[in-house]
Amino acid sequence: MEKLKIAGGRPLKGTIKVSGAKNSAVALIPATILAESPVTIEGLPEISDVETLKALLEEIGGTVHFENGEMMVDPSSMVSMPLPNGRVKKLRASYYLMGAMLGRFKKAVIGLPGGCNLGPRPIDQHIKGFEALGAKVTNERGAIYLRADELIGARIYLDVVSVGATINIMLAAVRAKGKTIIENAAKEPEIIDVATLLTNMGAKIKGAGTDVIRIEGVEHLSGCRHTIIPDRIEAGTFMILGAAVGEGVLIDNVIPLHLESLIAKLREMGVPIEIGDEHIFIGSSKNLKAVDIKTLVYPGFPTDLQQPFTILLTKANGSSVVTDTIYSARFKHIDELRRMNANIKVEGRSAIIEGPSTLQGAKVKATDLRAGSALFIAGLMAEGITEITGLDHIDRGYSKLVEKLTGLGANVWRENLSDHEIQQLKSS
Ligand code: EPU
């Protein structure tokens, strides 16, 4: 077990390259199950969620090679192996194995997913969709059992706009008989990315990226090559970092259109931004203004950037309010930020930030992935040394973080935890 150590207070400068999108990767990899010949995905991020999914595909009989961000999956020998426990519990996106295995084998057993604890995260809309397609779905001792004699296209209205449910229903419906219409679908770029892969495999999908997706089921899907989109949340994290501690940071490999809400909010704060075709430059930011944000489904302000944005607001003059309408309990980073001298209080679904504060290095713990991003930005802003534990969360979503930050001139490194620190963590 390791901790991340940061000697903060240094201005950062230079170019930082964004990796492939985690939240696409975790759906694209299960989607390969649906093909009958090898699929290659280029540009995958080197993160633990990708490694876990690779191992899960191997567990069900797939042959997988992963090197330099390129994954070749031969799904031809896969079987519908039950996966009630074990690795599936490590990440929430293992729920995509349900849609993909149901689509290909008409049956699946998948343990209820793990992932970040951000308050209640039901999967009722996924199940509603599978049932509408003709599957019988039961929950037995913490595992979801899905079985269908055949899948038949249906009209499905999502009661909650859900990224996961939209993708999962799409995965099953591409192999159903006849037409499926998903109404009130989510519109995130990751959904378009998955639809692009499926279309290249031979699926018939129209409307991905709008709130009505139409799918005409097909009997066979075959292999293809696909390049993943850049990670808009990683890019957004680096933009916030640039505004917090940068003296000119160029973020490379970005689709600026995916980040319009963040760009608008940073500009409102007074952050200088220049936008290129595939890069965004964040200039040195002084005298930042306080702003309010409210997280919404895409193209609104992403909940996944709410936590790192909160720490930037400690640098702004005045009072800011951050409201998360997507998750009820995505504020576990606030106690840790307070230990670093941030002046923030939580009221219901909102965090109220009084700035500016001078942050001080401290020993803090990442309790979920994006809490981790808030903490490493805080560590870079703070005076003195910050030590972050809970790196398993950060490693789920940020590829080669130390290397990337060091490239900007940050003084950051990983160290093994002592036996005493491991005991302390286990008992906390
Ligand atoms: N919801 C339901 N029922 C469902 C599904 C969702 O009530 O059946 C609710 C959720 O509880 C939540 C809201 O709907 O309040 C939105 O959830 P959604 O299903 O869209 O989230 P998700 O698909 O589980 C993905 C990302 C999250 C990101 C959200 C929102 C993946 C693997 N995860 O989760 O990413 O926060 O969309 O944009 O794609 C992260 O990267 O740190 C992360 C948590």
Side-chain angles (χ1 to χ4, degrees), residues 22-23 26 92-93 95-96 116 118 120-126 160-165 188 232 303-304 326-327 330 369-370:
K22 163 191 166 272
N23 288 345
V26 296
R92 181 164 171 81
Y95 54 39
Y96 291 133
C116 294
L118 313 173
R121 297 179 76 182
I123 56 165
D124 57 303
Q125 299 303 307
H126 305 230
V160 180
V161 181
S162 158
V163 178
E188 270 69 358
R232 66 194 165 97
T303 169
D304 297 339
I326 310 288
Y327 296 115
R330 208 171 197 178
L369 170 56
R370 310 299 170 186

PDB file of all heavy atoms in Angstrom, residues 22-23 26 92-93 95-96 116 118 120-126 160-165 188 232 303-304 326-327 330 369-370, ligand 1:
ATOM      1  N   LYS A  22     -12.132   7.168 -18.964  1.00  0.00           N
ATOM      2  CA  LYS A  22     -12.455   6.044 -18.063  1.00  0.00           C
ATOM      3  C   LYS A  22     -13.900   5.580 -18.223  1.00  0.00           C
ATOM      4  O   LYS A  22     -14.156   4.387 -18.366  1.00  0.00           O
ATOM      5  CB  LYS A  22     -12.220   6.465 -16.607  1.00  0.00           C
ATOM      6  CG  LYS A  22     -12.898   5.569 -15.593  1.00  0.00           C
ATOM      7  CD  LYS A  22     -12.854   6.161 -14.198  1.00  0.00           C
ATOM      8  CE  LYS A  22     -13.786   5.479 -13.245  1.00  0.00           C
ATOM      9  NZ  LYS A  22     -15.155   6.023 -13.232  1.00  0.00           N
ATOM     10  N   ASN A  23     -14.832   6.543 -18.225  1.00  0.00           N
ATOM     11  CA  ASN A  23     -16.236   6.122 -18.219  1.00  0.00           C
ATOM     12  C   ASN A  23     -16.713   5.598 -19.574  1.00  0.00           C
ATOM     13  O   ASN A  23     -17.768   4.984 -19.647  1.00  0.00           O
ATOM     14  CB  ASN A  23     -17.137   7.239 -17.679  1.00  0.00           C
ATOM     15  CG  ASN A  23     -16.954   7.401 -16.172  1.00  0.00           C
ATOM     16  OD1 ASN A  23     -16.392   6.512 -15.526  1.00  0.00           O
ATOM     17  ND2 ASN A  23     -17.396   8.512 -15.621  1.00  0.00           N
ATOM     18  N   VAL A  26     -14.855   1.725 -19.459  1.00  0.00           N
ATOM     19  CA  VAL A  26     -15.507   0.694 -18.634  1.00  0.00           C
ATOM     20  C   VAL A  26     -16.780   0.157 -19.289  1.00  0.00           C
ATOM     21  O   VAL A  26     -17.333  -0.841 -18.833  1.00  0.00           O
ATOM     22  CB  VAL A  26     -15.795   1.210 -17.207  1.00  0.00           C
ATOM     23  CG1 VAL A  26     -14.497   1.513 -16.481  1.00  0.00           C
ATOM     24  CG2 VAL A  26     -16.732   2.413 -17.213  1.00  0.00           C
ATOM     25  N   ARG A  92     -18.096  -0.193 -10.044  1.00  0.00           N
ATOM     26  CA  ARG A  92     -19.524  -0.072 -10.296  1.00  0.00           C
ATOM     27  C   ARG A  92     -19.872  -0.458 -11.738  1.00  0.00           C
ATOM     28  O   ARG A  92     -20.909  -1.074 -11.996  1.00  0.00           O
ATOM     29  CB  ARG A  92     -19.923   1.381 -10.015  1.00  0.00           C
ATOM     30  CG  ARG A  92     -21.367   1.624 -10.207  1.00  0.00           C
ATOM     31  CD  ARG A  92     -21.800   2.899  -9.577  1.00  0.00           C
ATOM     32  NE  ARG A  92     -23.159   3.165  -9.976  1.00  0.00           N
ATOM     33  CZ  ARG A  92     -24.232   2.617  -9.431  1.00  0.00           C
ATOM     34  NH1 ARG A  92     -24.093   1.769  -8.428  1.00  0.00           N
ATOM     35  NH2 ARG A  92     -25.425   2.907  -9.867  1.00  0.00           N
ATOM     36  N   ALA A  93     -18.965  -0.117 -12.658  1.00  0.00           N
ATOM     37  CA  ALA A  93     -19.264  -0.348 -14.070  1.00  0.00           C
ATOM     38  C   ALA A  93     -19.320  -1.824 -14.432  1.00  0.00           C
ATOM     39  O   ALA A  93     -19.649  -2.168 -15.573  1.00  0.00           O
ATOM     40  CB  ALA A  93     -18.231   0.357 -14.928  1.00  0.00           C
ATOM     41  N   TYR A  95     -21.581  -3.452 -13.858  1.00  0.00           N
ATOM     42  CA  TYR A  95     -22.971  -3.672 -14.261  1.00  0.00           C
ATOM     43  C   TYR A  95     -23.127  -3.752 -15.780  1.00  0.00           C
ATOM     44  O   TYR A  95     -24.095  -4.303 -16.271  1.00  0.00           O
ATOM     45  CB  TYR A  95     -23.944  -2.656 -13.648  1.00  0.00           C
ATOM     46  CG  TYR A  95     -23.678  -1.179 -13.825  1.00  0.00           C
ATOM     47  CD1 TYR A  95     -23.183  -0.628 -15.001  1.00  0.00           C
ATOM     48  CD2 TYR A  95     -23.982  -0.302 -12.781  1.00  0.00           C
ATOM     49  CE1 TYR A  95     -22.972   0.730 -15.137  1.00  0.00           C
ATOM     50  CE2 TYR A  95     -23.780   1.075 -12.909  1.00  0.00           C
ATOM     51  CZ  TYR A  95     -23.270   1.571 -14.096  1.00  0.00           C
ATOM     52  OH  TYR A  95     -23.068   2.913 -14.246  1.00  0.00           O
ATOM     53  N   TYR A  96     -22.144  -3.239 -16.555  1.00  0.00           N
ATOM     54  CA  TYR A  96     -22.249  -3.353 -18.013  1.00  0.00           C
ATOM     55  C   TYR A  96     -22.098  -4.802 -18.495  1.00  0.00           C
ATOM     56  O   TYR A  96     -22.455  -5.118 -19.628  1.00  0.00           O
ATOM     57  CB  TYR A  96     -21.209  -2.463 -18.706  1.00  0.00           C
ATOM     58  CG  TYR A  96     -21.489  -0.979 -18.550  1.00  0.00           C
ATOM     59  CD1 TYR A  96     -20.483  -0.090 -18.176  1.00  0.00           C
ATOM     60  CD2 TYR A  96     -22.761  -0.463 -18.791  1.00  0.00           C
ATOM     61  CE1 TYR A  96     -20.732   1.269 -18.037  1.00  0.00           C
ATOM     62  CE2 TYR A  96     -23.018   0.900 -18.651  1.00  0.00           C
ATOM     63  CZ  TYR A  96     -22.000   1.750 -18.274  1.00  0.00           C
ATOM     64  OH  TYR A  96     -22.258   3.093 -18.137  1.00  0.00           O
ATOM     65  N   CYS A 116     -17.517   3.897  -6.121  1.00  0.00           N
ATOM     66  CA  CYS A 116     -17.458   4.964  -5.123  1.00  0.00           C
ATOM     67  C   CYS A 116     -18.754   5.056  -4.337  1.00  0.00           C
ATOM     68  O   CYS A 116     -19.838   4.919  -4.897  1.00  0.00           O
ATOM     69  CB  CYS A 116     -17.200   6.295  -5.824  1.00  0.00           C
ATOM     70  SG  CYS A 116     -15.588   6.398  -6.603  1.00  0.00           S
ATOM     71  N   LEU A 118     -21.235   7.268  -2.960  1.00  0.00           N
ATOM     72  CA  LEU A 118     -21.653   8.670  -3.102  1.00  0.00           C
ATOM     73  C   LEU A 118     -23.096   8.840  -2.648  1.00  0.00           C
ATOM     74  O   LEU A 118     -23.805   9.717  -3.126  1.00  0.00           O
ATOM     75  CB  LEU A 118     -21.534   9.089  -4.576  1.00  0.00           C
ATOM     76  CG  LEU A 118     -20.235   8.716  -5.300  1.00  0.00           C
ATOM     77  CD1 LEU A 118     -20.331   9.038  -6.774  1.00  0.00           C
ATOM     78  CD2 LEU A 118     -19.052   9.447  -4.676  1.00  0.00           C
ATOM     79  N   PRO A 120     -26.973   6.702  -2.086  1.00  0.00           N
ATOM     80  CA  PRO A 120     -27.660   5.596  -2.762  1.00  0.00           C
ATOM     81  C   PRO A 120     -27.440   5.635  -4.271  1.00  0.00           C
ATOM     82  O   PRO A 120     -27.530   6.702  -4.873  1.00  0.00           O
ATOM     83  CB  PRO A 120     -29.144   5.845  -2.435  1.00  0.00           C
ATOM     84  CG  PRO A 120     -29.170   6.890  -1.392  1.00  0.00           C
ATOM     85  CD  PRO A 120     -27.873   7.616  -1.404  1.00  0.00           C
ATOM     86  N   ARG A 121     -27.103   4.510  -4.866  1.00  0.00           N
ATOM     87  CA  ARG A 121     -26.903   4.448  -6.323  1.00  0.00           C
ATOM     88  C   ARG A 121     -27.660   3.232  -6.869  1.00  0.00           C
ATOM     89  O   ARG A 121     -27.067   2.209  -7.218  1.00  0.00           O
ATOM     90  CB  ARG A 121     -25.408   4.365  -6.652  1.00  0.00           C
ATOM     91  CG  ARG A 121     -24.638   5.594  -6.198  1.00  0.00           C
ATOM     92  CD  ARG A 121     -23.155   5.494  -6.497  1.00  0.00           C
ATOM     93  NE  ARG A 121     -22.839   5.721  -7.881  1.00  0.00           N
ATOM     94  CZ  ARG A 121     -21.605   5.644  -8.389  1.00  0.00           C
ATOM     95  NH1 ARG A 121     -20.586   5.352  -7.595  1.00  0.00           N
ATOM     96  NH2 ARG A 121     -21.388   5.850  -9.671  1.00  0.00           N
ATOM     97  N   PRO A 122     -28.991   3.345  -6.933  1.00  0.00           N
ATOM     98  CA  PRO A 122     -29.784   2.193  -7.379  1.00  0.00           C
ATOM     99  C   PRO A 122     -29.560   1.874  -8.853  1.00  0.00           C
ATOM    100  O   PRO A 122     -29.057   2.715  -9.603  1.00  0.00           O
ATOM    101  CB  PRO A 122     -31.228   2.655  -7.148  1.00  0.00           C
ATOM    102  CG  PRO A 122     -31.175   4.134  -7.143  1.00  0.00           C
ATOM    103  CD  PRO A 122     -29.811   4.532  -6.668  1.00  0.00           C
ATOM    104  N   ILE A 123     -29.939   0.634  -9.270  1.00  0.00           N
ATOM    105  CA  ILE A 123     -29.862   0.293 -10.704  1.00  0.00           C
ATOM    106  C   ILE A 123     -31.248  -0.135 -11.207  1.00  0.00           C
ATOM    107  O   ILE A 123     -31.356  -0.934 -12.138  1.00  0.00           O
ATOM    108  CB  ILE A 123     -28.792  -0.785 -10.998  1.00  0.00           C
ATOM    109  CG1 ILE A 123     -29.015  -2.055 -10.180  1.00  0.00           C
ATOM    110  CG2 ILE A 123     -27.402  -0.253 -10.784  1.00  0.00           C
ATOM    111  CD1 ILE A 123     -28.216  -3.245 -10.717  1.00  0.00           C
ATOM    112  N   ASP A 124     -32.286   0.433 -10.581  1.00  0.00           N
ATOM    113  CA  ASP A 124     -33.657   0.059 -10.965  1.00  0.00           C
ATOM    114  C   ASP A 124     -33.968   0.351 -12.434  1.00  0.00           C
ATOM    115  O   ASP A 124     -34.709  -0.391 -13.075  1.00  0.00           O
ATOM    116  CB  ASP A 124     -34.671   0.767 -10.044  1.00  0.00           C
ATOM    117  CG  ASP A 124     -34.496   2.286 -10.074  1.00  0.00           C
ATOM    118  OD1 ASP A 124     -33.393   2.754  -9.770  1.00  0.00           O
ATOM    119  OD2 ASP A 124     -35.455   2.997 -10.433  1.00  0.00           O
ATOM    120  N   GLN A 125     -33.392   1.417 -12.994  1.00  0.00           N
ATOM    121  CA  GLN A 125     -33.701   1.759 -14.391  1.00  0.00           C
ATOM    122  C   GLN A 125     -33.035   0.778 -15.369  1.00  0.00           C
ATOM    123  O   GLN A 125     -33.580   0.493 -16.423  1.00  0.00           O
ATOM    124  CB  GLN A 125     -33.274   3.201 -14.717  1.00  0.00           C
ATOM    125  CG  GLN A 125     -33.977   4.251 -13.884  1.00  0.00           C
ATOM    126  CD  GLN A 125     -35.499   4.179 -14.017  1.00  0.00           C
ATOM    127  OE1 GLN A 125     -36.048   4.201 -15.110  1.00  0.00           O
ATOM    128  NE2 GLN A 125     -36.184   4.044 -12.894  1.00  0.00           N
ATOM    129  N   HIS A 126     -31.872   0.253 -14.983  1.00  0.00           N
ATOM    130  CA  HIS A 126     -31.229  -0.776 -15.812  1.00  0.00           C
ATOM    131  C   HIS A 126     -32.166  -1.992 -15.848  1.00  0.00           C
ATOM    132  O   HIS A 126     -32.453  -2.543 -16.909  1.00  0.00           O
ATOM    133  CB  HIS A 126     -29.899  -1.249 -15.210  1.00  0.00           C
ATOM    134  CG  HIS A 126     -28.893  -0.175 -14.926  1.00  0.00           C
ATOM    135  ND1 HIS A 126     -27.582  -0.260 -15.340  1.00  0.00           N
ATOM    136  CD2 HIS A 126     -28.972   0.999 -14.245  1.00  0.00           C
ATOM    137  CE1 HIS A 126     -26.908   0.810 -14.941  1.00  0.00           C
ATOM    138  NE2 HIS A 126     -27.734   1.576 -14.268  1.00  0.00           N
ATOM    139  N   VAL A 160     -35.402   8.142 -14.582  1.00  0.00           N
ATOM    140  CA  VAL A 160     -34.279   8.977 -14.155  1.00  0.00           C
ATOM    141  C   VAL A 160     -33.297   8.990 -15.326  1.00  0.00           C
ATOM    142  O   VAL A 160     -33.053   7.943 -15.924  1.00  0.00           O
ATOM    143  CB  VAL A 160     -33.566   8.332 -12.935  1.00  0.00           C
ATOM    144  CG1 VAL A 160     -32.403   9.183 -12.470  1.00  0.00           C
ATOM    145  CG2 VAL A 160     -34.535   8.053 -11.827  1.00  0.00           C
ATOM    146  N   VAL A 161     -32.756  10.158 -15.663  1.00  0.00           N
ATOM    147  CA  VAL A 161     -31.766  10.203 -16.751  1.00  0.00           C
ATOM    148  C   VAL A 161     -30.482   9.551 -16.233  1.00  0.00           C
ATOM    149  O   VAL A 161     -29.839  10.076 -15.330  1.00  0.00           O
ATOM    150  CB  VAL A 161     -31.481  11.662 -17.182  1.00  0.00           C
ATOM    151  CG1 VAL A 161     -30.472  11.696 -18.317  1.00  0.00           C
ATOM    152  CG2 VAL A 161     -32.772  12.342 -17.614  1.00  0.00           C
ATOM    153  N   SER A 162     -30.153   8.401 -16.773  1.00  0.00           N
ATOM    154  CA  SER A 162     -29.029   7.629 -16.237  1.00  0.00           C
ATOM    155  C   SER A 162     -28.076   7.205 -17.356  1.00  0.00           C
ATOM    156  O   SER A 162     -28.490   6.589 -18.334  1.00  0.00           O
ATOM    157  CB  SER A 162     -29.568   6.387 -15.510  1.00  0.00           C
ATOM    158  OG  SER A 162     -28.576   5.395 -15.432  1.00  0.00           O
ATOM    159  N   VAL A 163     -26.804   7.545 -17.164  1.00  0.00           N
ATOM    160  CA  VAL A 163     -25.758   7.146 -18.117  1.00  0.00           C
ATOM    161  C   VAL A 163     -25.694   5.620 -18.170  1.00  0.00           C
ATOM    162  O   VAL A 163     -25.754   5.000 -19.232  1.00  0.00           O
ATOM    163  CB  VAL A 163     -24.380   7.683 -17.656  1.00  0.00           C
ATOM    164  CG1 VAL A 163     -23.282   7.251 -18.602  1.00  0.00           C
ATOM    165  CG2 VAL A 163     -24.400   9.190 -17.513  1.00  0.00           C
ATOM    166  N   GLY A 164     -25.575   5.013 -16.981  1.00  0.00           N
ATOM    167  CA  GLY A 164     -25.405   3.555 -16.903  1.00  0.00           C
ATOM    168  C   GLY A 164     -26.585   2.824 -17.508  1.00  0.00           C
ATOM    169  O   GLY A 164     -26.401   1.878 -18.291  1.00  0.00           O
ATOM    170  N   ALA A 165     -27.816   3.237 -17.174  1.00  0.00           N
ATOM    171  CA  ALA A 165     -28.992   2.525 -17.684  1.00  0.00           C
ATOM    172  C   ALA A 165     -29.082   2.688 -19.200  1.00  0.00           C
ATOM    173  O   ALA A 165     -29.382   1.733 -19.919  1.00  0.00           O
ATOM    174  CB  ALA A 165     -30.250   3.050 -16.999  1.00  0.00           C
ATOM    175  N   GLU A 188     -24.594  11.903 -22.495  1.00  0.00           N
ATOM    176  CA  GLU A 188     -23.154  12.085 -22.264  1.00  0.00           C
ATOM    177  C   GLU A 188     -22.334  11.611 -23.470  1.00  0.00           C
ATOM    178  O   GLU A 188     -22.717  10.647 -24.157  1.00  0.00           O
ATOM    179  CB  GLU A 188     -22.733  11.279 -21.022  1.00  0.00           C
ATOM    180  CG  GLU A 188     -22.802  12.008 -19.698  1.00  0.00           C
ATOM    181  CD  GLU A 188     -24.212  12.336 -19.208  1.00  0.00           C
ATOM    182  OE1 GLU A 188     -25.191  12.038 -19.915  1.00  0.00           O
ATOM    183  OE2 GLU A 188     -24.322  12.917 -18.108  1.00  0.00           O
ATOM    184  N   ARG A 232     -12.989  13.557 -20.570  1.00  0.00           N
ATOM    185  CA  ARG A 232     -13.357  14.965 -20.313  1.00  0.00           C
ATOM    186  C   ARG A 232     -13.238  15.287 -18.811  1.00  0.00           C
ATOM    187  O   ARG A 232     -13.015  16.440 -18.438  1.00  0.00           O
ATOM    188  CB  ARG A 232     -14.764  15.269 -20.851  1.00  0.00           C
ATOM    189  CG  ARG A 232     -15.862  14.537 -20.159  1.00  0.00           C
ATOM    190  CD  ARG A 232     -17.199  14.582 -20.898  1.00  0.00           C
ATOM    191  NE  ARG A 232     -18.068  13.573 -20.332  1.00  0.00           N
ATOM    192  CZ  ARG A 232     -18.990  13.807 -19.408  1.00  0.00           C
ATOM    193  NH1 ARG A 232     -19.185  15.035 -18.952  1.00  0.00           N
ATOM    194  NH2 ARG A 232     -19.716  12.817 -18.932  1.00  0.00           N
ATOM    195  N   THR A 303     -21.128  16.317 -12.274  1.00  0.00           N
ATOM    196  CA  THR A 303     -20.925  16.005 -10.845  1.00  0.00           C
ATOM    197  C   THR A 303     -19.483  15.547 -10.583  1.00  0.00           C
ATOM    198  O   THR A 303     -18.922  15.818  -9.526  1.00  0.00           O
ATOM    199  CB  THR A 303     -21.933  14.943 -10.350  1.00  0.00           C
ATOM    200  OG1 THR A 303     -21.533  14.487  -9.060  1.00  0.00           O
ATOM    201  CG2 THR A 303     -22.037  13.755 -11.258  1.00  0.00           C
ATOM    202  N   ASP A 304     -18.877  14.892 -11.576  1.00  0.00           N
ATOM    203  CA  ASP A 304     -17.518  14.362 -11.368  1.00  0.00           C
ATOM    204  C   ASP A 304     -16.466  15.468 -11.253  1.00  0.00           C
ATOM    205  O   ASP A 304     -15.318  15.203 -10.894  1.00  0.00           O
ATOM    206  CB  ASP A 304     -17.132  13.420 -12.512  1.00  0.00           C
ATOM    207  CG  ASP A 304     -18.043  12.202 -12.573  1.00  0.00           C
ATOM    208  OD1 ASP A 304     -18.676  11.894 -11.557  1.00  0.00           O
ATOM    209  OD2 ASP A 304     -18.132  11.581 -13.647  1.00  0.00           O
ATOM    210  N   ILE A 326     -27.093  15.479  -8.462  1.00  0.00           N
ATOM    211  CA  ILE A 326     -27.041  14.085  -8.951  1.00  0.00           C
ATOM    212  C   ILE A 326     -26.872  13.103  -7.790  1.00  0.00           C
ATOM    213  O   ILE A 326     -27.570  12.094  -7.711  1.00  0.00           O
ATOM    214  CB  ILE A 326     -25.873  13.886  -9.965  1.00  0.00           C
ATOM    215  CG1 ILE A 326     -25.902  14.971 -11.059  1.00  0.00           C
ATOM    216  CG2 ILE A 326     -25.880  12.482 -10.557  1.00  0.00           C
ATOM    217  CD1 ILE A 326     -27.005  14.867 -12.091  1.00  0.00           C
ATOM    218  N   TYR A 327     -25.936  13.396  -6.884  1.00  0.00           N
ATOM    219  CA  TYR A 327     -25.676  12.497  -5.748  1.00  0.00           C
ATOM    220  C   TYR A 327     -25.926  13.239  -4.440  1.00  0.00           C
ATOM    221  O   TYR A 327     -25.554  14.409  -4.303  1.00  0.00           O
ATOM    222  CB  TYR A 327     -24.230  12.003  -5.752  1.00  0.00           C
ATOM    223  CG  TYR A 327     -23.892  11.151  -6.953  1.00  0.00           C
ATOM    224  CD1 TYR A 327     -22.957  11.569  -7.894  1.00  0.00           C
ATOM    225  CD2 TYR A 327     -24.513   9.921  -7.159  1.00  0.00           C
ATOM    226  CE1 TYR A 327     -22.641  10.795  -8.993  1.00  0.00           C
ATOM    227  CE2 TYR A 327     -24.209   9.133  -8.261  1.00  0.00           C
ATOM    228  CZ  TYR A 327     -23.280   9.577  -9.169  1.00  0.00           C
ATOM    229  OH  TYR A 327     -22.972   8.813 -10.261  1.00  0.00           O
ATOM    230  N   ARG A 330     -22.032  13.415  -1.982  1.00  0.00           N
ATOM    231  CA  ARG A 330     -20.712  13.512  -2.610  1.00  0.00           C
ATOM    232  C   ARG A 330     -19.896  14.630  -1.970  1.00  0.00           C
ATOM    233  O   ARG A 330     -19.290  15.445  -2.650  1.00  0.00           O
ATOM    234  CB  ARG A 330     -20.869  13.739  -4.118  1.00  0.00           C
ATOM    235  CG  ARG A 330     -19.696  13.201  -4.902  1.00  0.00           C
ATOM    236  CD  ARG A 330     -19.886  13.198  -6.376  1.00  0.00           C
ATOM    237  NE  ARG A 330     -18.890  12.298  -6.977  1.00  0.00           N
ATOM    238  CZ  ARG A 330     -18.799  12.040  -8.255  1.00  0.00           C
ATOM    239  NH1 ARG A 330     -19.619  12.584  -9.104  1.00  0.00           N
ATOM    240  NH2 ARG A 330     -17.866  11.218  -8.705  1.00  0.00           N
ATOM    241  N   LEU A 369     -12.997   8.393  -5.767  1.00  0.00           N
ATOM    242  CA  LEU A 369     -12.099   8.826  -6.855  1.00  0.00           C
ATOM    243  C   LEU A 369     -11.968  10.348  -6.970  1.00  0.00           C
ATOM    244  O   LEU A 369     -10.864  10.893  -6.982  1.00  0.00           O
ATOM    245  CB  LEU A 369     -12.651   8.226  -8.168  1.00  0.00           C
ATOM    246  CG  LEU A 369     -12.062   8.691  -9.480  1.00  0.00           C
ATOM    247  CD1 LEU A 369     -10.563   8.478  -9.519  1.00  0.00           C
ATOM    248  CD2 LEU A 369     -12.729   7.922 -10.631  1.00  0.00           C
ATOM    249  N   ARG A 370     -13.100  11.037  -7.053  1.00  0.00           N
ATOM    250  CA  ARG A 370     -13.011  12.491  -7.293  1.00  0.00           C
ATOM    251  C   ARG A 370     -12.712  13.278  -6.011  1.00  0.00           C
ATOM    252  O   ARG A 370     -12.235  14.416  -6.087  1.00  0.00           O
ATOM    253  CB  ARG A 370     -14.270  13.016  -7.984  1.00  0.00           C
ATOM    254  CG  ARG A 370     -14.683  12.233  -9.219  1.00  0.00           C
ATOM    255  CD  ARG A 370     -13.657  12.224 -10.337  1.00  0.00           C
ATOM    256  NE  ARG A 370     -14.050  11.259 -11.377  1.00  0.00           N
ATOM    257  CZ  ARG A 370     -13.314  10.924 -12.421  1.00  0.00           C
ATOM    258  NH1 ARG A 370     -12.109  11.430 -12.589  1.00  0.00           N
ATOM    259  NH2 ARG A 370     -13.734  10.042 -13.294  1.00  0.00           N
TER     260      ARG A 370
HETATM  261  N1  EPU B   1     -30.098   6.384 -10.776  1.00  0.00           N
HETATM  262  C1  EPU B   1     -31.264   5.799 -10.344  1.00  0.00           C
HETATM  263  N2  EPU B   1     -31.595   4.577 -10.871  1.00  0.00           N
HETATM  264  C2  EPU B   1     -30.839   3.935 -11.792  1.00  0.00           C
HETATM  265  C3  EPU B   1     -29.652   4.548 -12.219  1.00  0.00           C
HETATM  266  C4  EPU B   1     -29.307   5.783 -11.705  1.00  0.00           C
HETATM  267  O1  EPU B   1     -31.988   6.332  -9.504  1.00  0.00           O
HETATM  268  O2  EPU B   1     -31.216   2.849 -12.215  1.00  0.00           O
HETATM  269  C5  EPU B   1     -29.724   7.710 -10.226  1.00  0.00           C
HETATM  270  C6  EPU B   1     -28.387   7.657  -9.494  1.00  0.00           C
HETATM  271  O3  EPU B   1     -28.559   7.257  -8.152  1.00  0.00           O
HETATM  272  C7  EPU B   1     -27.877   9.069  -9.646  1.00  0.00           C
HETATM  273  C8  EPU B   1     -28.414   9.480 -11.018  1.00  0.00           C
HETATM  274  O4  EPU B   1     -29.481   8.583 -11.314  1.00  0.00           O
HETATM  275  O5  EPU B   1     -28.467   9.880  -8.680  1.00  0.00           O
HETATM  276  C9  EPU B   1     -27.419   9.436 -12.143  1.00  0.00           C
HETATM  277  O6  EPU B   1     -26.783   8.173 -12.169  1.00  0.00           O
HETATM  278  P1  EPU B   1     -26.172   7.536 -13.481  1.00  0.00           P
HETATM  279  O7  EPU B   1     -26.803   6.212 -13.704  1.00  0.00           O
HETATM  280  O8  EPU B   1     -26.179   8.513 -14.607  1.00  0.00           O
HETATM  281  O9  EPU B   1     -24.683   7.297 -13.014  1.00  0.00           O
HETATM  282  P2  EPU B   1     -23.790   6.066 -13.348  1.00  0.00           P
HETATM  283  O10 EPU B   1     -24.025   5.619 -14.740  1.00  0.00           O
HETATM  284  O11 EPU B   1     -23.857   5.048 -12.284  1.00  0.00           O
HETATM  285  C10 EPU B   1     -21.848   7.456 -14.376  1.00  0.00           C
HETATM  286  C11 EPU B   1     -20.398   7.615 -14.104  1.00  0.00           C
HETATM  287  C12 EPU B   1     -20.192   8.396 -12.823  1.00  0.00           C
HETATM  288  C13 EPU B   1     -20.893   9.742 -12.943  1.00  0.00           C
HETATM  289  C14 EPU B   1     -22.373   9.544 -13.313  1.00  0.00           C
HETATM  290  C15 EPU B   1     -23.103  10.828 -13.558  1.00  0.00           C
HETATM  291  C16 EPU B   1     -19.559   5.542 -15.018  1.00  0.00           C
HETATM  292  C17 EPU B   1     -18.951   4.223 -14.776  1.00  0.00           C
HETATM  293  N3  EPU B   1     -19.806   6.290 -13.946  1.00  0.00           N
HETATM  294  O12 EPU B   1     -22.371   6.724 -13.261  1.00  0.00           O
HETATM  295  O13 EPU B   1     -18.800   8.602 -12.714  1.00  0.00           O
HETATM  296  O14 EPU B   1     -20.805  10.424 -11.723  1.00  0.00           O
HETATM  297  O15 EPU B   1     -22.466   8.724 -14.498  1.00  0.00           O
HETATM  298  O16 EPU B   1     -22.516  11.536 -14.573  1.00  0.00           O
HETATM  299  O17 EPU B   1     -19.790   5.940 -16.153  1.00  0.00           O
HETATM  300  C18 EPU B   1     -16.759   9.018 -11.628  1.00  0.00           C
HETATM  301  O18 EPU B   1     -16.216   8.931 -12.747  1.00  0.00           O
HETATM  302  O19 EPU B   1     -16.162   9.428 -10.596  1.00  0.00           O
HETATM  303  C19 EPU B   1     -18.158   8.615 -11.492  1.00  0.00           C
HETATM  304  C20 EPU B   1     -18.733   8.363 -10.326  1.00  0.00           C
END
